[in-house]
């Protein structure tokens, strides 16, 4: 990026789905999933892709390394605290990249500085000086973040930024770490930082959504001179999440002229990116979510439908085709073959490898036998279920499930699971049929699991709609997510429950998860 870019209206999209996004409770992506998301983010055209936090675990280090050496297009960034070991580890992970950035941070607010770091103001300034300088010995491209900037004393904050800039930081990030600022406050802070920082340094926003203001605050930042926004796909991230990539992208696309800014994203990849992230993380997108929600372009009332049919512009300010959204067509039935199935997935921009394709096709056939017609949305859900599973490596496979109950009968369930050549059968009673089915699976799997969240939705309308269930379990202190789709909601729940257990069983490196918990920002 040239110095001219900093002064013109180009807003850099810094994607942190794989770092801050992955810190959302219950998300634990495999290395393969991270690389797949990174490749999709490159197709989307993000400017900077934060691949992870290499010091947090060996698995994270390897994922960042693989992304750095294989994904081309964006600048690949990695996070590092202002410590020598973090910075050296980040540089080591990034060295295979064509262009790379070290993103180093330290807490600056009194509350975080005193309670977490136990460091004086001077010690924080010294740490910034020493470690931005160290990062610069590895790469020209260094970003500095003052964690909890919006709750930091302004004079001290500006002093931190001055030190970082004088040591060569090329991007200064202003995180609203706890989502506390209001748009007018945040905009004013960006204006002050912009005014006293040399032109060649990019000012960046990093807004969390605790009060639902992440997008509004990021926009206020842009209006006041920020030329980088840190965002995550579907707005995922710590607690209530980060500024949503797709919302900022479409605000700039739709109102860019009024704002005097633009970006370089390939908007047609938005839906596909959103679906991939939702499928792999198990975080569903709420139906009324701006831009990527299932209802974002649905017109229900007669007046609206009439208006849109007469002229789309009456009620639509964005073109759904522009973000890669096709209508909800009835696509396939039980006679459809593998070729038609693969073709339908390709039209939806759903890319799956051979193994997942075979499994998804088998599931499609099972479901089409019961449901007759499968829509685009059903296909997305079927693929999501398959991608969420541990694949061929699933330790336990659901052979059959039988449930019984009613108004006068205690709910019971019997489940048969296959582990290699062994069949395990167990029964359980429960508060309801879902509870009984999950209890029977838990017994058969021999695993202690606590249900943390349970989400059920219907994929389309109608009584024959597929039920889509996402569960989050706590297994031995580790959160895991599972997804299940079926025409019957009890079966979908059982599948989701078992998928989560399989995921926990496939995560063998327990120590790694614990280490990450200690260091994540
Ligand atoms: O929210 C935050 O402050 C962060 C920093 C590490 C940038 O994620
Ligand atoms: Zn953050």
């Amino acid at each position: 990026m040239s110095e001219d870019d900093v002064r013109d209206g180009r807003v850099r999209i810094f994607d942190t789905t794989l770092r801050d996004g992955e810190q959302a409770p219950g998300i634990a992506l495999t290395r393969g999933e991270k690389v797949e998301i990174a490749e999709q983010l490159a197709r989307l055209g993000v400017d900077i892709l934060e691949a992870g936090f290499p010091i947090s675990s060996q698995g994270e280090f390897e994922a960042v390394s693989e992304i750095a050496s294989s994904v081309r297009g964006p600048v690949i960034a990695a996070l590092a605290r202002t410590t020598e070991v973090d910075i050296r580890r980040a540089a080591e992970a990034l060295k295979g990249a064509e262009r790379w950035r070290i993103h180093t941070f330290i807490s600056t607010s009194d509350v975080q500085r005193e309670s977490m770091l136990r460091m004086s103001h001077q010690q924080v300034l010294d740490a910034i000086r020493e470690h931005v300088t160290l990062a610069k010995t590895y790469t020209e491209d260094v970003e500095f973040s003052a964690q909890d900037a919006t709750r930091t004393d302004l004079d001290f904050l500006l002093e931190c930024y001055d030190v970082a800039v004088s040591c060569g930081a090329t991007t200064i990030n202003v995180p609203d770490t706890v989502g506390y600022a209001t748009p007018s406050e945040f905009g004013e802070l960006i204006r002050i930082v912009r005014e006293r920082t040399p032109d060649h340094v990019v000012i960046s926003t990093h807004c969390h959504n605790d009060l639902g203001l992440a997008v509004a605050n990021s926009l206020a930042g842009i209006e006041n001179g920020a030329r980088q926004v840190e965002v995550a796909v579907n707005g995922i991230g710590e607690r209530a999440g980060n500024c949503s990539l797709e919302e900022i992208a479409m605000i700039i696309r739709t109102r860019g002229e009024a704002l005097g800014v633009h970006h370089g994203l390939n908007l047609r990849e938005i839906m596909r990116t959103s679906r991939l992230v939702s499928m792999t993380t198990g975080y569903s997108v709420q139906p009324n979510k701006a831009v990527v929600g299932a209802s974002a372009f649905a017109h229900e009332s007669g007046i609206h439908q009439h208006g849109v049919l007469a002229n789309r512009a009456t009620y639509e300010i964005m073109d759904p085709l522009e973000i890669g959204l096709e209508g909800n067509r009835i696509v396939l039935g039980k006679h459809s073959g593998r070729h038609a199935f693969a073709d339908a997935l390709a039209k939806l921009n759903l890319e799956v490898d051979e193994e997942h394709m075979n499994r998804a096709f088998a599931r499609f056939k099972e479901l089409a036998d019961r449901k007759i017609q499968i829509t685009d949305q059903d296909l997305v859900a079927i693929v999501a279920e398959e991608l969420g599973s541990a694949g061929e490596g699933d330790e336990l496979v659901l052979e059959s499930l039988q449930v019984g109950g009613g108004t006068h009968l205690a709910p019971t369930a019997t489940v048969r699971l296959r582990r290699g050549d062994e069949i395990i059968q167990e029964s359980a009673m429960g508060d309801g049929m879902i509870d009984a089915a999950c209890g029977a699976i838990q017994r058969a799997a021999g695993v202690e699991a606590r249900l943390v969240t349970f989400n059920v939705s219907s994929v389309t309308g109608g009584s024959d709609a597929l039920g889509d269930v996402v569960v989050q379990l706590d297994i031995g202190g580790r959160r895991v997510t599972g997804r299940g789709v079926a025409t019957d909601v009890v079966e979908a729940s059982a599948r989701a429950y078992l998928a989560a257990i399989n995921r926990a069983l496939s995560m063998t490196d327990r120590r790694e998860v614990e280490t990450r918990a200690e260091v994540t920002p």
Side-chain angles (χ1 to χ4, degrees):
M1 278 158 235
S2 72
E3 285 189 21
D4 279 352
D5 284 340
V6 178
R7 281 187 287 272
D8 79 9
R10 169 73 184 256
V11 175
R12 288 143 197 79
I13 305 295
F14 176 115
D15 180 89
T16 187
T17 308
L18 293 176
R19 200 277 298 167
D20 210 320
E22 217 234 353
Q23 285 172 217
I27 299 184
L29 298 169
T30 62
R31 174 152 35 134
E33 286 167 340
K34 285 185 189 179
V35 174
E36 198 181 343
I37 292 174
E39 280 164 357
Q40 179 55 27
L41 289 168
R43 279 192 283 272
L44 177 63
V46 303
D47 297 288
I48 303 108
L49 190 167
E50 189 164 49
F53 188 20
I55 194 71
S56 63
S57 72
Q58 179 61 22
E60 181 84 346
F61 174 84
E62 285 166 11
V64 175
S65 291
E66 189 171 337
I67 291 169
S69 41
S70 64
V71 176
R72 293 290 172 255
V75 171
I76 310 295
L79 189 68
R81 290 168 298 191
T82 49
T83 67
E84 188 177 332
V85 44
D86 277 38
I87 287 173
R88 294 202 192 284
R89 196 76 175 140
E92 180 66 22
L94 288 169
K95 68 181 184 204
E98 250 169 17
R99 295 180 300 148
W100 49 281
R101 170 182 298 188
I102 294 179
H103 175 194
T104 187
F105 76 99
I106 189 165
S107 293
T108 51
S109 64
D110 284 349
V111 60
Q112 292 197 356
R113 186 178 53 75
E114 284 164 9
S115 318
M116 290 160 57
L117 302 180
R118 299 184 197 292
M119 284 166 83
S120 67
H121 284 119
Q122 190 53 50
Q123 284 171 317
V124 169
L125 293 171
D126 291 344
I128 298 171
R129 181 172 300 105
E130 189 181 337
H131 297 100
V132 171
T133 305
L134 175 65
K136 282 296 273 194
T137 63
Y138 288 103
T139 171
E140 192 36 46
D141 191 347
V142 173
E143 170 169 339
F144 169 70
S145 286
Q147 184 163 222
D148 208 10
T150 50
R151 292 193 302 166
T152 300
D153 169 75
L154 182 60
D155 289 337
F156 179 58
L157 180 68
L158 296 176
E159 220 180 321
C160 293
Y161 287 147
D162 284 350
V163 170
V165 170
S166 70
C167 296
T170 42
T171 300
I172 289 297
N173 187 30
V174 186
D176 186 25
T177 303
V178 291
Y180 178 72
T182 63
S184 56
E185 284 167 0
F186 192 72
E188 176 62 5
L189 178 56
I190 294 292
R191 190 188 63 72
I192 294 169
V193 176
R194 175 68 281 170
E195 266 175 24
R196 64 183 274 138
T197 308
D199 270 359
H200 71 276
V201 176
V202 177
I203 309 299
S204 167
T205 65
H206 178 104
C207 297
H208 278 269
N209 205 30
D210 298 65
L211 293 172
L213 290 172
V215 173
N217 283 339
S218 306
L219 182 60
I222 292 172
E223 286 171 325
N224 284 279
R227 287 296 175 265
Q228 172 177 294
V229 273
E230 302 199 353
V231 293
V233 176
N234 299 336
I236 61 171
E238 277 282 358
R239 307 178 310 279
N242 283 82
C243 175
S244 133
L245 179 149
E246 53 286 347
E247 292 178 28
I248 275 292
M250 289 314 283
I251 290 169
I252 295 177
R253 165 74 183 103
T254 312
R255 304 306 316 278
E257 219 167 291
L259 295 163
V261 293
H262 60 276
H263 58 56
L265 290 177
N266 174 12
L267 294 174
R268 281 195 74 83
E269 295 293 334
I270 284 200
M271 270 320 293
R272 177 180 179 174
T273 316
S274 165
R275 281 183 188 136
L276 177 67
V277 169
S278 164
M279 287 189 300
T280 46
T281 57
Y283 266 51
S284 331
V285 173
Q286 76 190 55
N288 60 336
K289 163 101 169 55
V291 184
V292 291
S295 312
F297 294 94
H299 300 276
E300 186 72 25
S301 90
I303 294 177
H304 286 216
Q305 286 177 351
H306 175 210
V308 170
L309 287 176
N311 177 355
R312 202 180 57 78
T314 50
Y315 286 100
E316 268 181 11
I317 57 166
M318 295 172 270
D319 180 354
L321 292 177
E322 198 178 19
I323 60 162
L325 185 70
E326 310 278 337
N328 173 32
R329 296 161 302 131
I330 304 287
V331 282
L332 300 169
K334 66 176 175 178
H335 299 299
S336 308
R338 200 189 140 90
H339 190 73
F341 179 74
D343 195 51
L345 295 194
K347 286 204 176 94
L348 284 167
N349 288 328
L350 291 171
E351 249 178 40
V352 280
D353 61 27
E354 193 61 20
E355 183 207 323
H356 283 106
M357 173 69 86
N358 292 341
R359 291 162 52 99
F361 183 60
R363 283 290 285 136
F364 155 73
K365 278 295 202 189
E366 266 171 52
L367 292 167
D369 255 351
R370 294 190 237 170
K371 193 178 180 269
I372 306 173
Q373 285 177 323
I374 301 281
T375 67
D376 282 347
Q377 287 163 18
D378 293 329
L379 282 182
V380 170
I382 292 168
V383 172
E385 183 194 57
E386 282 312 322
L387 287 184
S389 78
E392 290 270 290
D394 270 355
E395 190 168 326
L396 296 161
V397 178
L398 181 66
E399 285 283 307
S400 68
L401 168 71
Q402 240 184 334
V403 284
T407 44
H408 299 296
L409 257 185
T412 55
T414 301
V415 70
R416 279 161 68 84
L417 300 185
R418 184 164 44 77
R419 176 186 269 132
D421 295 333
E422 181 197 5
I423 294 288
I424 314 160
Q425 178 166 326
E426 284 291 349
S427 301
M429 293 173 77
D431 290 342
M433 284 187 264
I434 293 177
D435 190 37
C438 295
I441 288 178
Q442 207 182 132
R443 273 194 194 160
V447 167
E448 275 293 311
R450 186 175 63 82
L451 187 64
V452 182
T453 58
F454 177 87
N455 262 297
V456 59
S457 56
S458 108
V459 176
T460 51
S463 56
D464 68 340
L466 287 188
D468 183 2
V469 175
V470 179
V471 298
Q472 206 182 91
L473 306 184
D474 183 319
I475 300 181
R478 181 190 310 168
R479 297 273 176 103
V480 277
T481 307
R483 181 170 212 150
V485 181
T487 44
D488 173 70
V489 78
V490 181
E491 183 188 332
S493 308
R495 286 183 173 279
Y497 204 85
L498 186 60
I501 290 180
N502 272 321
R503 213 174 168 106
L505 294 174
S506 73
M507 293 171 160
T508 46
D509 193 353
R510 192 186 172 81
R511 247 197 54 244
E512 183 174 296
V513 175
E514 282 156 6
T515 320
R516 283 177 54 112
E518 279 159 30
V519 297
T520 33

